[in-house]
Amino acid sequence: MTASLVVVGNGMVGHRLVSSVRERDRAGRWRVEVFGEERRPAYDRVALTSYVDTWDDSALLLAGHDPDVTVHLGDPVVAIDRAARTVTSASGLVREYDALVLATGSSPFVPPVPGHDLPGCHVYRTLDDLDGIREYAARVPHGRRAALVVGGGLLGLEAAKALRDLGLSPHVVELAPWLMPLQVDEGGGALLRRLITALDVTVHAGTGTTAIERDRGRLLARLGNGTELDVDLVVFAAGIRPRDALARAAGLDLGERGGVLVDEACRTADPHVWAVGECACVGGRVHGLVAPGYAMAEVVADRLLGGAATFTVADTATKLKLLGVDVASFGDAHARAEGALEVVLNDAVAGSYKKLVLSDDASTLLGGVLVGDASAYAALAPMVGRPLPGDPAALLAPAGETLGAGALPPDAQVCSCQAVTRAAVDGAIAEGCADVPALKACTRAGTGCGSCVPMLRQLLASAGVAQSSALCEHFTHSRVALFEIVRSTGIRTFSELVARYGRGRGCDLCKPAVASMLASLGGHVLDREQVALQDTNDQFLANIQRNGTYSVVPRIPGGEITPHKLMVIAEVARDFDLYTKITGGQRIDLFGATVEDLPAIWRRLVDAGFESGHAYGKALRTVKSCVGSTWCRYGVQDSVRLAIELELRYRGLRSPHKLKAGVSGCARECAEARSKDFGVIATEHGWNLYVAGNGGFSPRHARLLASDVDTETLVRLIDRFLIFYVRTADRLQRTAAWVEAMDGGLDHLRAVIVDDTLGICADLEEAMTAHVGSYADEWRGVLEDPEKLARFTSFVNAPGTPDPTVAFREERGQRVPVSLGVPQVSAR
Amino acid sequence: MTVVCRLSDLPPDRGVAALLPDGAQVAVFHTGAGELFALSNIDPYSGAAVLSRGIVGDLRGVPVVASPMHKQHFELHSGECVEDRAVTVRVYPVRVAAGQVVVEDP
């Protein structure tokens, strides 16, 4: 007989409880029903701030939609009748329960400052809160726009990042003398303040907000230290309070400082009622992090299925990147243990602060704080409470002893978000997990904050699973390393490169990769021995199709074309009997051309003023545009003109993968620019530049890199972005994956190409200038060179004889390939 | 026996297609190491006559051509598919006579 489990709350912890129960309940003992207040399915609240990058809530949704679980969204439980064992929802649904789990989470604490409820005052907890902030910010006039964040903890700094990304200058007010007082000590806080101030965030520490007043359409915030701030928007991020009102009304006991009082099984005094996550008070404490919440969810799931799990010491270790600054804190970060010793390395020049807290005899690691460089976190955090694995000063030194994965004992937690031990990871590797994605799928390690991913890589390596970045068996170098070699040595042939830096004769992986590098550095792609390096598409400057014929795509910059040129394309298609289709990139694809017909087709197109559209290359394809302000009554900028300018500037640029772009003339975004590698959207004041989006197999929204820039700045930023990508991405790595794999992600990219922190921007721009200056049409290059032309024949001993295997039939009035039938695979 | 072209018409590591009297197509390769090979031009996986347009190289020292269609590798001596040893393409004897490349019947 099935029993009824009702879960109140559909946040991360409630969701985890349900998936864990469903996973363990093979016998189908529990029928599960969930009531959630928010109208969206459960999402990753830890990553809330990333919503600002794309405004795509689907990217945050948690996996695990289970058709056998009934979820009521936007319908919170409003009453519990413990005597009748029923709950009542806002919409009036009444459900009986055998077990009731409260996972109501917490609500933002808004200090009772006068004016805290004025329009423009917001909190920061849900996607709806962010939508509200976005909507309000959009109404604030452009110009000098500012926002106040009340609270300089983790959440406050997240909010400051979101506001900055929305184009406001954030001020952060923190009552404590330094930022993130719960996680870091004074020294770490001082460096954090310095690093964050450099990112246009103004910090007011050691003071509170005393009043918020209306002031001529804006808000005036008065601080305790006498400062007055003119701001447009206020966000309260001053802590959270457990949501225990439902439990209180049902007569359940609460903790001293709130929270539903539960025992170590996470059960209330009522044996049918449990509480998990931020609404629960366990062991006298309320936990505001997701990892303890997940641990509670696992305990209750185990208990509901007859287990005896208990909630033990919660891991409060934290590692995050705030505004691009690494911050980590673990164990006894504030050295509260009796006689605790501290070892500190404070490098103001490098911008890193590292502290280890040791037991009074310096033998045991108790905790630590890392700011600016938290690379040691993955190795150190699991060692808390264990003998110190080396000399403490050496462990903190930048290029010092790196603590290998080998030092970790089997029961140490590698992933604290999902409570995965080293033994579990090693077990998964032994069962055949050969890379990080496989480990994530198998153990869930690395699927939370992701800070343990470097450690997962190390564990793979120490288990002897090779994590090679080698291009292929002929080069042990990565693409990036090889590109540097080619650039710095001046080697310009594959044969010399493989002889000096590789082995063997090369293959279909390294040859096209090197050909692309050589092309990025100048010269026709079919010059001399380069021909033999190219994939067939680059060899014939056309796209191979399933029957061995090719398709031809002339460039139509920005999708703008005269009727006369359209007629030329039509005539060529008619005369060569080519199947014709409009592409997604606003151009025209002509299919079914044989190798020997290609030059004749190009001749007609080139004579009419067309050139190669590079549809065949790992290169810039198109810059798609909407019609823009010339015609469109909504357009605010001339998107067609800019698209043409960009397409002509970057045409022919060879890159690790294809590049697509778009320009939209207003925020309606008809050019779908945010699904492109670089996308530009017009604003009333200039252009917003988005980067690293793509369609295809795993679509990604492009993310905002710079806003309201003028055309000259825009072009300069795109120049830098593209060359940096060409030089540093892996083979066949599109821009989205490239940015994701970057240590520091989009913030790092912004630092390099907007703020020029590496000092390479002038060099990047120079490389693009060289590319633009040396561009020449590749089709014309073949037509003008008899030696290159000679390769366009069907048979070396019978030029002009068509390939007898190529045959066509007609479909909807056009020629399409006759299927080549069953593959002619023959056994030996 | 079919005379295909002069040896000097075959650039290193690049294939050409040739038509045999019986209508069969061969892909002829002259590797950078100076070896000469001829295989059926038909890619057994797609049925298209494209092997001559594949990239020539080596895998663990064995010379191969990669099909331009779906990238399977075929050993140039044996015609065996590296990814599936049960699949082979026909190999033709090939030699040079008086500077001319000659393909024999298999």
Side-chain angles (χ1 to χ4, degrees):
Chain A
M1 204 189 83
T2 59
S4 166
L5 166 64
V6 172
V7 180
V8 185
N10 191 36
M12 295 177 78
V13 173
H15 181 80
R16 175 60 171 265
L17 171 88
V18 171
S19 34
S20 182
V21 167
R22 295 284 306 153
E23 213 166 90
R24 294 164 193 245
D25 187 12
R26 297 276 152 79
R29 255 170 81 184
W30 292 99
R31 193 177 62 249
V32 186
E33 200 154 348
V34 181
F35 289 86
E37 183 176 55
E38 292 185 63
R39 58 196 164 81
R40 290 182 170 95
Y43 58 88
D44 183 355
R45 203 184 304 281
V46 173
L48 188 66
T49 304
S50 70
Y51 181 47
V52 177
D53 292 337
T54 60
W55 299 108
D56 173 13
D57 56 3
S58 65
L60 291 179
L61 296 187
L62 296 174
H65 170 73
D66 186 335
D68 292 333
V69 174
T70 311
V71 182
H72 304 277
L73 297 176
D75 192 11
V77 166
V78 292
I80 302 168
D81 181 341
R82 292 201 288 131
R85 295 226 302 265
T86 61
V87 296
T88 306
S89 79
S91 72
L93 294 177
V94 177
R95 289 289 184 274
E96 289 184 12
Y97 63 79
D98 296 294
L100 176 68
V101 179
L102 301 174
T104 46
S106 53
S107 52
F109 168 64
V110 178
V113 177
H116 65 81
D117 48 3
L118 286 172
C121 290
H122 299 261
V123 293
Y124 197 85
R125 177 157 182 90
T126 64
L127 289 172
D128 284 345
D129 292 340
L130 263 69
D131 284 335
I133 291 170
R134 179 195 192 191
E135 206 175 288
Y136 192 88
R139 294 205 307 260
V140 174
H142 278 262
R144 211 163 42 82
R145 309 195 303 165
L148 172 69
V149 179
V150 179
L154 197 158
L155 200 61
L157 295 182
E158 289 274 353
K161 172 173 165 44
L163 291 166
R164 196 191 66 162
D165 291 352
L166 280 168
L168 292 106
S169 303
H171 290 262
V172 175
V173 177
E174 169 57 46
L175 262 177
W178 63 85
L179 295 170
M180 294 187 71
L182 288 182
Q183 290 85 8
V184 311
D185 61 350
E186 187 170 2
L191 175 67
L192 184 59
R193 176 181 187 145
R194 216 187 85 208
L195 295 176
I196 281 181
T197 303
L199 297 165
D200 291 336
V201 177
T202 312
V203 179
H204 309 266
T207 187
T209 310
T210 53
I212 297 163
E213 296 161 12
R214 257 189 236 268
D215 182 27
R216 283 162 299 160
R218 299 185 83 191
L219 295 169
L220 175 76
R222 296 184 190 282
L223 307 189
N225 64 5
T227 306
E228 294 182 352
L229 299 170
D230 285 321
V231 295
D232 299 289
L233 193 149
V234 175
V235 174
F236 288 100
I240 50 173
R241 295 289 180 269
R243 297 183 72 181
D244 51 17
L246 200 57
R248 182 198 305 266
L252 291 162
D253 293 333
L254 304 183
E256 263 177 47
R257 280 182 286 172
V260 185
L261 201 61
V262 293
D263 60 15
E264 59 178 14
C266 298
R267 195 189 327 227
T268 67
D270 179 336
H272 298 284
V273 184
W274 315 71
V276 293
E278 293 175 350
C279 71
C281 175
V282 52
R285 256 192 86 179
V286 174
H287 296 271
L289 292 171
V290 75
Y294 278 172
M296 292 180 220
E298 293 294 334
V299 167
V300 173
D302 183 68
R303 292 273 177 163
L304 289 175
L305 291 154
T310 55
F311 179 78
T312 47
V313 186
D315 187 352
T316 55
T318 321
K319 177 187 174 224
L320 38 126
K321 203 176 261 298
L322 289 163
L323 294 148
V325 178
D326 272 344
V327 179
S329 157
F330 51 95
D332 184 8
H334 293 281
R336 296 211 169 94
E338 177 118 19
L341 305 173
E342 298 187 8
V343 180
V344 178
L345 182 85
N346 190 358
D347 185 342
V349 179
S352 75
Y353 175 90
K354 305 174 186 182
K355 179 178 85 169
L356 293 184
V357 178
L358 312 175
S359 58
D360 52 4
D361 59 354
S363 67
T364 307
L365 181 65
L366 298 182
V369 173
L370 304 166
V371 177
D373 168 16
S375 52
Y377 172 82
L380 289 172
M383 300 304 295
V384 168
R386 299 172 191 276
L388 197 66
D391 172 43
L395 289 173
L396 293 181
E401 268 174 62
T402 40
L403 191 50
L408 280 186
D411 60 333
Q413 263 190 17
V414 173
C415 171
S416 53
C417 297
Q418 305 287 0
V420 183
T421 61
R422 173 183 181 164
V425 173
D426 282 348
I429 295 173
E431 279 166 28
C433 290
D435 53 22
V436 171
L439 283 177
K440 281 183 176 178
C442 182
T443 65
R444 285 192 181 165
T447 58
C449 71
S451 65
C452 62
V453 167
M455 180 55 75
L456 297 180
R457 268 194 216 108
Q458 277 197 41
L459 287 171
L460 282 163
S462 70
V465 181
Q467 299 290 297
S468 172
S469 63
L471 200 54
C472 65
E473 65 174 71
H474 303 99
F475 289 97
T476 56
H477 315 76
S478 64
R479 178 185 177 277
V480 184
L482 213 53
F483 197 105
E484 272 315 302
I485 290 173
V486 172
R487 229 156 59 87
S488 57
T489 58
I491 293 176
R492 291 294 179 270
T493 64
F494 180 85
S495 47
E496 187 183 352
L497 188 68
V498 77
R500 280 180 56 188
Y501 292 93
R503 60 170 169 272
R505 295 187 235 166
C507 64
D508 55 309
L509 299 181
C510 57
K511 282 183 168 182
V514 171
S516 162
M517 296 172 204
L518 296 175
S520 303
L521 298 167
H524 193 280
V525 290
L526 303 183
D527 277 344
R528 301 177 311 277
E529 85 163 32
Q530 275 200 51
V531 188
L533 307 180
Q534 308 288 2
D535 269 321
T536 188
N537 286 2
D538 271 311
Q539 226 182 90
F540 292 97
L541 309 176
N543 293 50
I544 196 166
Q545 303 298 332
R546 62 184 313 135
N547 63 348
T549 63
Y550 291 80
S551 79
V552 175
V553 183
R555 183 169 302 292
I556 301 178
E560 185 188 74
I561 186 163
T562 61
H564 170 72
K565 282 183 129 180
L566 210 46
M567 279 160 65
V568 172
I569 292 183
E571 285 163 7
V572 168
R574 181 196 57 204
D575 295 350
F576 290 88
D577 207 355
L578 303 173
Y579 170 93
T580 306
K581 189 169 188 315
I582 311 281
T583 73
Q586 301 188 331
R587 25 198 218 175
I588 299 171
D589 206 341
L590 308 171
F591 290 80
T594 55
V595 164
E596 63 272 24
D597 279 345
L598 287 171
I601 292 170
W602 297 339
R603 167 60 67 203
R604 294 264 301 267
L605 291 170
V606 168
D607 285 347
F610 286 104
E611 62 179 359
S612 161
H614 293 101
Y616 47 82
K618 306 286 180 241
L620 178 87
R621 299 282 174 87
T622 72
V623 183
K624 184 175 176 177
S625 70
C626 69
V627 75
S629 57
T630 312
W631 287 95
C632 178
R633 65 193 197 280
Y634 299 114
V636 295
Q637 305 274 359
D638 189 349
S639 52
V640 177
R641 176 186 295 270
L642 181 69
I644 293 172
E645 189 185 323
L646 294 177
E647 186 159 341
L648 295 182
R649 183 170 181 80
Y650 303 123
R651 62 186 167 180
L653 180 72
R654 299 286 157 154
S655 48
H657 210 307
K658 63 186 171 191
L659 285 167
K660 296 186 175 185
V663 181
S664 279
C666 81
R668 285 171 185 75
E669 240 286 69
C670 296
E672 297 163 322
R674 281 174 53 208
S675 64
K676 308 297 184 197
D677 294 282
F678 61 96
V680 181
I681 302 177
T683 69
E684 307 221 336
H685 309 272
W687 307 99
N688 282 353
L689 172 60
Y690 295 82
V691 295
N694 58 244
F697 194 75
S698 13
R700 305 284 164 79
H701 268 312
R703 295 159 71 191
L704 184 65
L705 186 77
S707 35
D708 282 340
V709 294
D710 59 28
T711 308
E712 193 193 325
T713 311
L714 176 83
V715 170
R716 198 162 61 232
L717 290 175
I718 302 174
D719 281 3
R720 296 171 179 180
F721 170 73
L722 291 176
I723 298 288
F724 191 48
Y725 168 63
V726 166
R727 288 189 182 169
T728 64
D730 261 338
R731 182 183 155 267
L732 298 187
Q733 186 177 42
R734 285 200 71 175
T735 53
W738 171 62
V739 174
E740 271 162 34
M742 214 176 264
D743 200 6
L746 187 70
D747 284 322
H748 176 68
L749 179 70
R750 191 180 282 120
V752 173
I753 69 174
V754 181
D755 306 329
D756 197 13
T757 50
L758 299 181
I760 59 171
C761 286
D763 184 42
L764 298 176
E765 286 170 28
E766 199 180 306
M768 185 58 85
T769 307
H771 164 76
V772 173
S774 67
Y775 169 80
D777 175 25
E778 289 171 354
W779 287 351
R780 185 184 289 273
V782 169
L783 294 174
E784 289 174 353
D785 182 342
E787 198 182 313
K788 292 190 176 93
L789 259 180
R791 295 183 308 104
F792 290 79
T793 54
S794 51
F795 297 107
V796 67
N797 61 343
T801 307
D803 175 353
T805 67
V806 172
F808 296 96
R809 62 188 172 85
E810 201 178 286
E811 195 171 284
R812 292 183 297 279
Q814 297 204 72
R815 236 170 45 141
V816 297
V818 169
S819 165
L820 292 168
V822 186
Q824 303 169 11
V825 171
S826 59
R828 220 130 95 100
Chain B
M1 159 189 133
T2 309
V3 174
V4 166
C5 58
R6 284 169 305 164
L7 183 62
S8 55
D9 292 337
L10 283 181
D13 281 345
R14 232 174 63 197
V16 297
L19 199 56
L20 299 188
D22 64 354
Q25 299 185 34
V26 287
V28 182
F29 302 97
H30 185 205
T31 68
E35 294 171 289
L36 207 55
F37 299 100
L39 318 178
S40 163
N41 194 30
I42 310 287
D43 167 26
Y45 290 91
S46 63
V50 294
L51 288 187
S52 60
R53 296 178 231 153
I55 291 179
V56 177
D58 77 277
L59 290 181
R60 278 166 222 92
V62 179
V64 294
V65 62
S67 166
M69 206 59 86
H70 294 121
K71 313 292 179 203
Q72 291 91 354
H73 300 89
F74 298 91
E75 292 187 356
L76 293 180
H77 320 92
S78 63
E80 251 184 42
C81 175
V82 174
E83 284 76 17
D84 179 357
R85 296 284 172 185
V87 175
T88 54
V89 297
R90 175 171 290 181
V91 178
Y92 292 80
V94 61
R95 61 188 166 84
V96 180
Q100 299 284 331
V101 177
V102 179
V103 175
E104 307 275 3
D105 295 334

